[in-house]
Every structure is written in structure tokens, then in C-alpha cells.
Amino acid sequence: MSLMEATCIRQKVMIEAVWPKAGVAREGALILGGSLFIALAAQLQILLPFSPVPVTGQTFAVLLLAAIYGSKRGPAAVMTYLILGFSGLPVFAGGAFGAARLFGPTAGYLIGFLGAAFIVGTLSEKGWDRQPWSTATSMIIGNLVIYIAGAAWLSGFVGWESALRVGVLPFLAGDAIKIALATLLLPVGWKLVGRFVR
């Protein structure tokens, strides 16, 4: 089998190996649980005095979930998270909620979570979450999607130069740490799955 053929075959994502019994109850529990995990990560935030975009654990939660869940459950968990926030539950960064967050300066990052979750989930289904180098590459791609969507939307409020200065550059170091953590967790997680799950 060629490398091209191997990457076209869908592989199990981690959650399917850990919880193999399919069903509506499993899917509902995973999607709701994933959305609540993102909501919890959103409350871990650092406000930057020069930027409307807070540093949170959201990107880490979104990308990690996408890698573990795959290209359908990951975006579904993100969409559920957005719906919960839109409907009035305080799940956005700092306990915020409502339509204003989905149309304000940081809305592009929230929408970018959907695209990033789909791409990272798809790459996991091709086995990219099993080796450190491919895990890191997947996380970098996911972060780029979030940055592009977020900065593009933010530029409508502050202009492109400011969007890059306040909406991308301050987050590079923190996201590098998150990528390193995911690069460690996912391959180690697969080794544990292989050892304990038969």
C-alpha cells in the first residue's frame, strides 16, 4: 500500500478506540461534554491591556478535542458551544454570552474554531495525531486557521496592521506552548490506548 493510499483510509480517532460502542447516547454525551470542556477552558483567561482578544485555554481545548474526536464530532462540539453561548449561557471567555460575542471584534476567532476543528479532526482521521511531528504540524495548521479567521474579522474593527499586532503576535508564544503540550499528550495517549484498550 502506498503512502497516498494509506492517508486516504480513515483511521479510528482516539475516542473511538477508548469508547468503541457507537450510539446516539455516546454521541450526545461526547458532543455536550466537549462543548462544556471548551466552555471551562474559556474561563482560563488573561486579559491583555492592549488587545480586545483575551488569552484563554479555548484554542487548546478546541484543537485537542478535534484531534481526539475527529472531523464530525469536533466541529459539532464547537457548534454546540457557540449555540450555548448565543442562547445566553455564560460559556464564552470571562463568562460572557449572547449574540454580541458572535458579532463583536473576537467573533472571527470563534468562527475559526469550527474550521480548525474540522481540519485537525480530518488530519487525525489520517493518523496525524499519532507521531509528535505530525501532531505538531496538525496543531500549527489549526492555529493558522484560527488566526486567519480571527484577524480577518478583527481587521474590520481596527485595520489589518492593528489586527496582526493585537490579534496574532501576542498569542504566538502561548500557542507554541499549547502546541508542545498537545504534541506530548496525543502520541502518549495513543501509546496508553494501545497498552490498555484491546
Side-chain angles (χ1 to χ4, degrees):
M1 180 183 296
S2 70
L3 180 60
M4 182 65 77
E5 289 171 331
T7 58
C8 291
I9 296 172
R10 185 193 186 281
Q11 298 184 32
K12 280 185 179 181
V13 291
M14 193 180 296
I15 199 65
E16 294 165 350
V18 173
W19 191 355
K21 187 175 181 182
V24 174
R26 179 190 75 167
E27 297 305 319
L30 289 174
I31 291 167
L32 181 59
S35 69
L36 295 177
F37 177 61
I38 298 168
L40 181 63
Q43 307 318 308
L44 305 172
Q45 71 165 0
I46 301 170
L47 297 175
L48 302 176
F50 53 84
S51 175
V53 185
V55 176
T56 72
Q58 282 173 296
T59 53
F60 178 74
V62 166
L63 298 178
L64 184 67
L65 270 180
I68 294 170
Y69 276 18
S71 65
K72 294 181 181 176
R73 288 183 206 92
V78 173
M79 181 59 78
T80 302
Y81 166 71
L82 296 177
I83 290 169
L84 292 175
F86 182 78
S87 67
L89 293 177
V91 296
F92 296 143
F97 57 88
R101 282 298 168 115
L102 297 178
F103 297 101
T106 61
Y109 298 93
L110 295 173
I111 301 306
F113 290 164
L114 283 170
F118 175 75
I119 291 169
V120 171
T122 299
L123 292 174
S124 284
E125 291 167 1
K126 298 180 183 303
W128 283 46
D129 60 334
R130 300 181 188 223
Q131 298 297 326
W133 69 270
S134 55
T135 300
T137 303
S138 173
M139 296 291 135
I140 290 168
I141 292 169
N143 268 283
L144 284 174
V145 170
I146 295 169
Y147 284 150
I148 290 168
W153 183 268
L154 183 61
S155 70
F157 293 83
V158 299
W160 267 109
E161 184 179 336
S162 292
L164 293 175
R165 190 175 69 251
V166 303
V168 175
L169 296 179
F171 305 97
L172 294 176
D175 284 336
I177 294 170
K178 295 173 195 176
I179 289 168
L181 186 56
T183 299
L184 175 68
L185 289 176
L186 288 165
V188 168
W190 272 113
K191 286 180 182 177
L192 291 173
V193 167
R195 183 176 301 174
F196 296 110
V197 178
R198 299 296 176 199

